[in-house]
Amino acid sequence: AGDAEAGAEKISACVACHGKDGQATAPIYPNLNGQSAQYLESSLKAYREGQRSGGMAAMMTPQAQSLSDEDIADIAAYYSQQ
Amino acid sequence: AGDAEAGAEKISACVACHGKDGQATAPIYPNLNGQSAQYLESSLKAYREGQRSGGMAAMMTPQAQSLSDEDIADIAAYYSQQ
């Protein structure tokens, strides 16, 4: 399982759209707070593997591709606890 | 914009995983309550257009393909207000 404290140090690219607290900064973005870590990991990995297009995928895919499995687990842990 | 009251009549296929109140029934599913209608519409249309694979897309794609633009707007309005 991810480390939420470590995740808090890895969200610099996330916060512009998803907020530090997981509340989206504009209606086109999803809130992340309160989602399960399992779902957040699944979504980030789908973006990383190029399995999503449309919507904001053109932004999310390269972001996710910069993340290791551990980074994804840590970020998912962080936002699931907001 | 969608009609949340009409949406409430169109969620019979959604509730098994996302709940009547938008709270996921298992950790692999996302909560929908509190997301903006705009984001929910964007996501459902991405599934409908076959733009998502991985995760639960094999379930979501056919579900979304059974929905009209109006259905999607109505369902998005309903869950955004939960």
Side-chain angles (χ1 to χ4, degrees):
Chain A
D3 177 335
E5 275 189 54
E9 305 300 317
K10 297 177 178 181
I11 59 166
S12 57
C14 313
V15 300
C17 300
H18 297 290
K20 189 177 177 190
D21 57 1
Q23 284 281 321
T25 59
I28 193 56
Y29 309 128
N31 303 322
L32 303 182
N33 55 314
Q35 300 291 11
S36 73
Q38 186 178 345
Y39 170 70
L40 294 171
E41 282 198 43
S42 171
S43 300
L44 268 170
K45 288 180 176 177
Y47 283 116
R48 189 177 64 178
E49 307 311 321
Q51 295 175 319
R52 290 184 168 192
S53 59
M56 298 304 294
M59 175 168 302
M60 282 301 301
T61 302
Q63 296 289 350
Q65 288 176 342
S66 74
L67 301 174
S68 69
D69 283 358
E70 185 180 353
D71 292 337
I72 286 176
D74 291 347
I75 291 167
Y78 173 82
Y79 275 119
S80 72
Q81 294 175 25
Q82 301 305 303
Chain B
D3 177 334
E5 275 189 54
E9 306 299 316
K10 299 178 178 182
I11 59 167
S12 57
C14 313
V15 299
C17 301
H18 297 291
K20 191 178 176 191
D21 57 2
Q23 285 281 320
T25 59
I28 194 56
Y29 309 129
N31 302 321
L32 303 182
N33 55 313
Q35 300 292 10
S36 73
Q38 188 178 345
Y39 170 69
L40 294 172
E41 282 198 43
S42 170
S43 300
L44 268 170
K45 289 181 175 176
Y47 283 115
R48 190 178 64 178
E49 307 310 321
Q51 296 176 318
R52 290 184 168 190
S53 59
M56 298 304 294
M59 173 167 303
M60 282 301 301
T61 302
Q63 295 289 351
Q65 287 176 344
S66 74
L67 301 174
S68 68
D69 283 358
E70 184 180 356
D71 292 336
I72 285 177
D74 291 347
I75 291 169
Y78 172 82
Y79 275 119
S80 71
Q81 294 175 25
Q82 302 305 303

